[in-house]
Amino acid sequence: MMTGRIIFGIFAGLAGGFATGAGFVAFLTVLGVIPRLTQLTKTMKMIHYYEGAIIAGVVAGTWFGLQETEFFLPQVLLIPIGLADGIFNGMLAAALTEVLNVFPVLSKRIGIQEKIIYLLMALVLGKIAGSLFQWIYFVDM
Amino acid sequence: MNVAVVYIRMRNRVQVNGNQAVRIKDIARIIGPEDEIRMIEDILLLTVKKEDRSIIVVDLAQVIMAIRKVDPGVEVETFGPSQTIIEIILTKKKMSFLTFALVWFLLFIGGAMTIMNFHVDVSMGEVHQKIFTIITGKVEEKPLLIQIPYSFGLGMGMILFFNHFFKKRFNEEPSPLEVEMFNYQQDLDRYVTMNENKENVRHLDDR
């Protein structure tokens, strides 16, 4: 009876992990953030190592997140972690097709082609401002 | 008798003013014997009238017909696109600063709101608190040490993706946004060439 429960538990956990992992990879593939990074840094050949980095990151995040591990490391480490977190999220936000599809239409409608970069900056500055506002004031309200 | 061969390449897209006469040289590139070219290039195709809306599509067939009407003996070889989109610029559209400012404000507030909604949606704050505890072993209500770099990183990531920082760009490649703009223009052009081109569609009652 017990063995059956354990086997079923392992099976259910594995199945859940498979589905979530596959979904996560599909999400990243659709957004195309990793190809964009290799294109910017001209490191196409290293793309397999980037895959490895993503998998290692996902596994580490899952494990330490679920295990409540504590490392007792200096607080300064949080700054590069936060920055990397932000850059990755920013690239995801920028890659969302909604953003990419809205701008061409918008620029046609209001008849600006050259100044579109300033509209882009509006969105970028808005994200930064909104995020800072939320963490510094909004969470206390 | 020696038959003159001329080669025609239609341009993809041309802009003309209202009331302008459109000659073949405006919409196509002609290659061939000197005197033939001069004659063909000046053939009048159409004059832009007030009633024409913003776009006229000229099909290659119309151009060849016009050429044969003037000189039936010429042999026409064609390559490139088979139609030209003529964009009529009636008045140079001046964009008003107010519209621009409004759209800018809209995007700024919209960007801020959507990111806040997203953070609440995925419980970003709790995740940051948890990372703080994992790394330092301490509990912190407001882990600003992660969150402030995170906020600036958010902007940097978007700029990195679009490969633009105001006028400065990081390398020569077109950015995803420019590619997307190009694709959108291509789709519009394709729609227009199919639907505005009289040579393409033929209804039963047209006969």
Side-chain angles (χ1 to χ4, degrees), chain A residues 29-134:
Chain A
T29 313
V30 165
L31 292 182
V33 165
I34 301 168
R36 181 80 189 119
L37 271 173
T38 61
Q39 195 193 2
L40 278 173
T41 53
K42 300 200 164 54
T43 48
M44 287 9 170
K45 283 186 194 136
M46 312 300 271
I47 194 149
H48 292 293
Y49 296 99
Y50 295 148
E51 277 172 25
I54 288 279
I55 295 168
V58 166
V59 172
T62 314
W63 186 251
F64 297 133
L66 294 176
Q67 293 303 305
E68 314 271 334
T69 323
E70 287 169 14
F71 287 107
F72 303 101
L73 294 168
Q75 288 195 0
V76 211
L77 265 177
L78 292 171
I79 296 173
I81 290 177
L83 197 65
D85 181 8
I87 294 177
F88 191 76
N89 258 347
M91 293 191 80
L92 286 185
L96 280 177
T97 43
E98 283 93 331
V99 176
L100 280 177
N101 286 337
V102 160
F103 276 100
V105 180
L106 197 64
S107 76
K108 276 249 156 203
R109 285 289 165 277
I110 58 172
I112 48 164
Q113 300 279 19
E114 314 85 39
K115 298 216 174 51
I116 191 151
I117 202 66
Y118 294 102
L119 294 182
L120 205 62
M121 292 316 289
L123 202 66
V124 169
L125 294 176
K127 295 262 184 219
I128 298 176
S131 183
L132 284 175
F133 171 75
Q134 181 170 29

Side-chain angles (χ1 to χ4, degrees), chain A residues 36 40 65 71-73 75 82 85-87 89-91 100-101 108 112 118 126-127 131 134 136 140, chain B residues 95 104 112 114 119 124 128 130 132 134-135 138 142 147 150-151 153-154 157-158 160-161 163-164 180 185:
Chain A
R36 181 80 189 119
L40 278 173
F71 287 107
F72 303 101
L73 294 168
Q75 288 195 0
D85 181 8
I87 294 177
N89 258 347
M91 293 191 80
L100 280 177
N101 286 337
K108 276 249 156 203
I112 48 164
Y118 294 102
K127 295 262 184 219
S131 183
Q134 181 170 29
I136 295 172
D140 292 333
Chain B
M95 108 45 221
W104 202 96
T114 45
H119 286 158
M124 186 75 79
H128 283 159
K130 192 151 195 175
F132 194 97
I134 290 175
I135 300 289
K138 278 175 248 160
K142 281 173 80 175
Q147 290 173 336
Y150 166 83
S151 304
L154 208 58
M158 291 187 76
L160 203 64
F161 187 85
N163 191 22
H164 265 300
E180 204 60 39
Q185 188 62 55

Side-chain angles (χ1 to χ4, degrees), chain A residues 5-21:
Chain A
R5 276 188 202 170
I6 290 171
I7 289 174
F8 182 75
I10 290 173
F11 184 76
L14 206 58
F18 270 145
T20 316

Side-chain angles (χ1 to χ4, degrees), chain B residues 117-131:
Chain B
N117 282 326
F118 166 73
H119 286 158
V120 173
D121 194 29
V122 300
S123 312
M124 186 75 79
E126 282 169 40
V127 174
H128 283 159
Q129 286 166 3
K130 192 151 195 175
I131 294 172

